[in-house]
Amino acid sequence: TTRTQSLLMERYKRLYASSIHRRKSDWLVLTLTDSGPYFGWALLGMTSEKPEGPYSAPQLLLHPTSMRFHPPLMEFFPSFTHEGFLYAPATSVAINRNFQTVFRVPIEEAMRPEAWEIYQYGSVWHAEPLASEAYGIWGQTFSGIVDSSGQLRVLFPSRNEQGMGTTNLASRPWNSPYRKQGFVVSGHEGPSLVRVKREGAMEQIDVSMAVKGTVRIVTESRTPMGPDKPRSGSKLHPLSITGLPGLELTETSWGLWDRQQCVAQGSMPASAAIHAVMTFAGDGSAELKIADAPVWKGSFPFAGGPAGLFAAPHSLARVNRFAVKGGSNPTSVVYLCTEALLGAAQNEAHWEYRNDASFRHGLGAVSKSGAVAAKWNFEGSSCVLFGPKGPGYGTVEVFVDGVSAGTVDYHATEGQPSQEVFRKEGLDNGFHALLLRPMEGYFPLDTLEAKF
């Protein structure tokens, strides 16, 4: 037992939800495990010469406490095989379970953690405006199999509007994972926000979509991103979704929002699909057309992007066109401290939240225990770490993609507001992980800004 817990970092203690696979010379079991108050889910493997066992000691394969990129809150089960590869879908266990990741490995290499790769990140599954899928995907992720005709056939759980569990079927050609045009964004128990990877002065946003509930076309979304709490059931932090300017749409009405204030509103023409065009002039004015008819013209805050789409709880947008003219500069994403706690599967009892002006957005955390870590999983080509300094802080070592990249000394004789403390440039524009480990004393946790 002691050896097993050492292998599982004294953290992953509950093993459940297993899949068994036949390999050339043995049997492989993949098992989901969680970590109680650390709110980290992991996939581990065991092998045996016989299906009934005995099996080898469990080995961690995919988990947030690794030093590589790993999206947090990924709950695995079940897995499936196709053409020599083993696929392990996983779903987020945030309050919205829309986000999916599919991990892949050659089946004979499955016990080597470094052999696993992210095969598909997001855009794996989307909701439909059906009563049987009112909560989106719910529970574990989908169960899949690729049949002899090349169709991926899946069974997935959901809940209806009364909260009762449902089982649903879907299929698509295995070799055609994406639709030819458009995308779907949905909010279920909580809101959802997506945004483009470009910013700058926009000339026009042209959107065609069908709407259920309340959806906002966001003209500028520079808010910091992160969960409201680093655990399951989390939703977007209020800082992430407060003050988003743009055009809010329902099936029957439209409203133009200048951050916190509605500046214009009207009724929506009866139509299964909505076509809205916002045109921005250099003098700070804008014009709105709906169904090709002018409905408003006036002053509007600078539309500097990045543009985005916000879906309120129990809302869905089926988008056929989302075209942005102008705003072609690479953008950046600011991640809150809660994202780093979630990314490293931290126990909140080992941290103290701070709400004061020394942090970049008035929110931060300070470690209370030496046996802690923080990790931001991000996409981009560079990153900048911010943090305050003060007499009560110590030193951390910084790792980027598992390689030591230097140290940060947060100590100062007097308190200093948040500032740049570390920068890493020249990364491949892909997935990366920045990990902080304490060397001496306690340390503050503020934000990481990643640029595409």
Side-chain angles (χ1 to χ4, degrees):
T1 302
T2 301
R3 178 173 180 269
T4 297
Q5 283 306 315
S6 177
L7 288 171
L8 302 182
M9 300 182 176
E10 304 293 336
R11 177 173 303 188
Y12 301 104
K13 298 183 178 181
R14 186 174 72 130
L15 280 61
Y16 64 106
S18 298
S19 301
I20 186 168
H21 300 279
R22 183 74 169 101
R23 302 202 299 177
K24 289 181 180 178
S25 57
D26 62 7
W27 293 81
L28 169 70
V29 166
L30 296 181
T31 295
L32 170 67
T33 177
D34 68 12
S35 56
Y38 292 89
F39 290 99
W41 278 258
L43 186 70
L44 56 84
M46 300 175 284
T47 59
S48 174
E49 294 181 356
K50 298 180 293 183
E52 63 270 23
Y55 277 85
S56 62
Q59 178 181 342
L60 284 170
L61 302 173
L62 299 169
H63 56 101
T65 37
S66 71
M67 301 182 76
R68 63 192 289 193
F69 178 93
H70 182 90
L73 290 183
M74 289 288 102
E75 188 178 30
F76 303 87
F77 179 74
S79 52
F80 64 96
T81 59
H82 180 58
E83 295 183 343
F85 283 92
L86 179 60
Y87 295 86
T91 189
S92 167
V93 291
I95 200 167
N96 281 339
R97 303 191 172 194
N98 308 351
F99 190 84
Q100 311 286 308
T101 303
V102 179
F103 297 85
R104 184 178 79 162
V105 69
I107 189 170
E108 299 301 324
E109 301 291 318
M111 289 297 288
R112 296 177 54 241
E114 65 274 15
W116 287 81
E117 64 176 351
I118 292 179
Y119 175 71
Q120 199 166 348
Y121 181 74
S123 300
V124 177
W125 175 94
H126 66 265
E128 294 284 355
L130 302 173
S132 63
E133 297 182 31
Y135 282 69
I137 203 165
W138 204 92
Q140 271 75 38
T141 188
F142 59 84
S143 175
I145 186 172
V146 183
D147 67 17
S148 58
S149 67
Q151 284 286 118
L152 172 63
R153 301 189 181 276
V154 302
L155 176 151
F156 66 93
S158 186
R159 296 169 72 184
N160 62 21
E161 294 172 345
Q162 290 73 44
M164 302 296 290
T166 64
T167 300
N168 306 268
L169 300 173
S171 65
R172 67 156 172 84
W174 172 254
N175 292 325
S176 301
Y178 302 113
R179 57 178 55 206
K180 292 182 179 180
Q181 180 176 331
F183 56 92
V184 174
V185 175
S186 58
H188 296 278
E189 293 185 84
S192 290
L193 174 65
V194 297
R195 56 192 191 183
V196 300
K197 298 179 180 180
R198 293 291 184 267
E199 64 176 22
M202 292 186 293
E203 300 174 30
Q204 189 178 81
I205 301 180
D206 184 342
V207 180
S208 294
M209 62 182 176
V211 168
K212 176 187 177 184
T214 301
V215 175
R216 185 177 297 191
I217 302 169
V218 179
T219 56
E220 191 165 3
S221 57
R222 299 180 184 275
T223 52
M225 302 303 294
D228 64 338
K229 53 190 176 184
R231 49 189 126 124
S232 60
S234 59
K235 57 186 177 181
L236 286 168
H237 195 281
L239 288 172
S240 302
I241 56 177
T242 299
L244 296 173
L247 176 63
E248 191 166 276
L249 302 169
T250 72
E251 294 104 318
T252 59
S253 65
W254 63 268
L256 195 59
W257 286 80
D258 177 356
R259 304 198 185 281
Q260 302 291 349
Q261 181 180 1
C262 183
V263 299
Q265 57 187 338
S267 59
M268 187 67 63
S271 176
I274 298 169
H275 181 211
V277 179
M278 286 195 71
T279 304
F280 306 94
D283 60 1
S285 65
E287 180 179 355
L288 171 63
K289 291 183 179 181
I290 295 179
D292 298 324
V295 297
W296 176 86
K297 186 175 182 178
S299 61
F300 196 76
F302 172 67
L309 201 61
F310 172 84
H314 307 293
S315 300
L316 181 145
R318 183 188 294 278
V319 183
N320 292 320
R321 176 180 174 83
F322 194 99
V324 178
K325 185 178 181 181
S328 59
N329 301 320
T331 190
S332 60
V333 179
V334 175
Y335 296 100
L336 294 169
C337 65
T338 51
E339 183 72 18
L341 297 177
L342 191 68
Q346 293 294 284
N347 187 334
E348 284 185 287
H350 298 160
W351 294 83
E352 178 187 349
Y353 288 113
R354 299 278 180 89
N355 292 284
D356 64 60
S358 68
F359 292 93
R360 196 177 178 198
H361 295 276
L363 171 68
V366 176
S367 62
K368 294 164 58 177
S369 165
V372 297
K375 186 176 76 167
W376 283 278
N377 300 282
F378 67 93
E379 184 180 2
S381 60
S382 64
C383 65
V384 181
L385 178 66
F386 291 86
K389 295 187 176 184
Y393 299 145
T395 306
V396 300
E397 185 172 8
V398 183
F399 296 85
V400 178
D401 298 332
V403 178
S404 179
T407 61
V408 172
D409 186 357
Y410 287 102
H411 181 78
T413 55
E414 296 183 358
Q416 300 176 13
S418 185
Q419 57 196 271
E420 179 182 324
V421 295
F422 175 83
R423 176 184 291 263
K424 181 67 175 180
E425 297 181 326
L427 299 170
D428 294 335
N429 199 359
F431 298 133
H432 302 284
L434 184 141
L435 175 74
L436 303 180
R437 281 185 178 169
M439 299 176 66
E440 181 181 358
Y442 305 133
F443 69 98
L445 198 58
D446 196 350
T447 60
L448 182 79
E449 183 169 358
K451 190 164 187 176
F452 294 104

